[in-house]
Amino acid sequence: METLHIAVDQRGVARLTMTRPEVFNAFNETMIDEMAQALGRLTADPHVRIIVLAGAGKAFSAGADLQWMKRAAEATQEANLEDARRFAGMLQALADCPTPTLARVHGLALGGGVGLAAACDIALATPDAKFAVSEARFGILPAVIGPYVINAVGPRQARRLALTASRIPASEALALGLVQEVAEDIDTALERWIAELLLNGPGALGEIKALFAQLEVGPITPAVRELTAQTIARVRMGQEAREGFAAFLAKRPAAWVPHQD
């Protein structure tokens, strides 16, 4: 691929690295299309159990490439809408991916870069990382990434970040819930999170993501109760659940837990 590098290790951990360091991994039409293709390919691979999204060079992602934005501003309404829909589809593919996703954030995460981190299940950052929902500085707004930022930090904090467009440090991103850990040695921290995820049934993790995507903060209605009951009744009858119960009772690792050599 022109803008991405993909590597999958023997554990099934896929590293999806943005490779436009000369523009701080700002994404353009090509990266958006390649990201969607890569996510589709990795999601369809039964060997892949975790996806780590990272950026090459000095930054995670500076968001949208300004040359791409300039081209979009000069395009027709129809072309502009189609372009925006491709970006929205890529972010949705990342958020809906049944495989657990982790963002490895260093340097800058600006605009759409914040959106990428927010769309992942878990985000880790280096202490020197900086975040900004920066679109208003260019006379536009964080429309496509907005739902993911709101889901990550809540409506009022998301509105504050978007209105001010100011950069916040990793420590504040942690306090807001935009990232789940700030670590000097981010790769060691990342391996710890990966090890925790690999202990769990891969099918169960996909089911968790699918169910939680349907649940909202609010009243627990009869429909919600029925959805949760139907889901657990179906999943606990499956082969993975039977293997998990048997492994626990026998005090041995389940089949999906990587062997320690």
Side-chain angles (χ1 to χ4, degrees), residues 18 130 199 204 211 249 253 256:
M18 296 174 278
K130 298 289 190 297
L199 291 173
L211 176 62
L249 292 172
W256 57 78

Side-chain angles (χ1 to χ4, degrees), residues 6-95:
I6 303 171
V8 183
D9 69 21
Q10 63 183 3
R11 301 171 299 172
V13 178
R15 311 247 175 192
L16 182 55
T17 305
M18 296 174 278
T19 55
R20 300 188 77 214
E22 70 280 3
V23 289
F24 300 103
N25 298 312
F27 46 80
N28 57 9
E29 306 97 319
T30 301
M31 184 181 283
I32 289 169
D33 289 343
E34 291 187 348
M35 185 81 74
Q37 294 170 26
L39 289 168
R41 183 191 310 173
L42 293 172
T43 298
D45 186 344
H47 176 63
V48 173
R49 295 189 55 189
I50 295 169
I51 298 173
V52 177
L53 179 62
K58 297 181 178 180
F60 175 68
S61 174
D65 187 308
L66 293 182
Q67 293 300 321
W68 168 47
M69 288 285 95
K70 184 175 182 292
R71 288 193 294 274
E74 296 168 350
T76 65
Q77 169 69 16
E78 292 77 12
N80 224 312
L81 181 57
E82 184 58 33
D83 189 66
R85 283 173 172 162
R86 282 197 298 272
F87 179 36
M90 181 271 282
L91 273 184
Q92 191 68 52
L94 179 60

Side-chain angles (χ1 to χ4, degrees), residues 32-241:
I32 289 169
D33 289 343
E34 291 187 348
M35 185 81 74
Q37 294 170 26
L39 289 168
R41 183 191 310 173
L42 293 172
T43 298
D45 186 344
H47 176 63
V48 173
R49 295 189 55 189
I50 295 169
I51 298 173
V52 177
L53 179 62
K58 297 181 178 180
F60 175 68
S61 174
D65 187 308
L66 293 182
Q67 293 300 321
W68 168 47
M69 288 285 95
K70 184 175 182 292
R71 288 193 294 274
E74 296 168 350
T76 65
Q77 169 69 16
E78 292 77 12
N80 224 312
L81 181 57
E82 184 58 33
D83 189 66
R85 283 173 172 162
R86 282 197 298 272
F87 179 36
M90 181 271 282
L91 273 184
Q92 191 68 52
L94 179 60
D96 287 351
C97 175
T99 307
T101 54
L102 298 96
R104 180 194 183 281
V105 183
H106 73 292
L108 296 175
L110 307 178
V114 174
L116 290 173
C120 287
D121 299 312
I122 298 164
L124 282 65
T126 57
D128 62 345
K130 298 289 190 297
F131 299 78
V133 182
S134 53
E135 284 82 352
R137 295 288 167 91
F138 304 100
I140 57 174
L141 76 163
V144 173
I145 71 168
Y148 304 98
V149 178
I150 289 171
N151 283 346
V153 304
R156 196 173 189 196
Q157 291 289 6
R159 188 162 56 244
R160 186 261 295 190
L161 294 173
L163 289 173
T164 64
S166 57
R167 294 188 183 187
I168 63 170
S171 58
E172 186 172 351
L174 178 64
L176 293 176
L178 184 57
V179 302
Q180 281 65 56
E181 183 175 351
V182 176
E184 287 281 358
D185 187 344
I186 191 172
D187 291 315
T188 296
L190 188 63
E191 283 301 318
R192 186 176 67 253
W193 285 87
I194 288 170
E196 289 284 345
L197 289 167
L198 289 174
L199 291 173
N200 303 325
L205 297 182
E207 291 284 357
I208 288 168
K209 293 191 64 172
L211 176 62
F212 281 27
Q214 300 175 71
L215 304 178
E216 298 180 355
V217 175
I220 302 172
T221 64
V224 169
R225 293 199 303 273
E226 183 63 17
L227 171 64
T228 59
Q230 291 276 357
T231 300
I232 188 58
R234 172 177 55 78
V235 171
R236 68 186 174 195
M237 293 175 62
Q239 179 59 39
E240 186 172 285

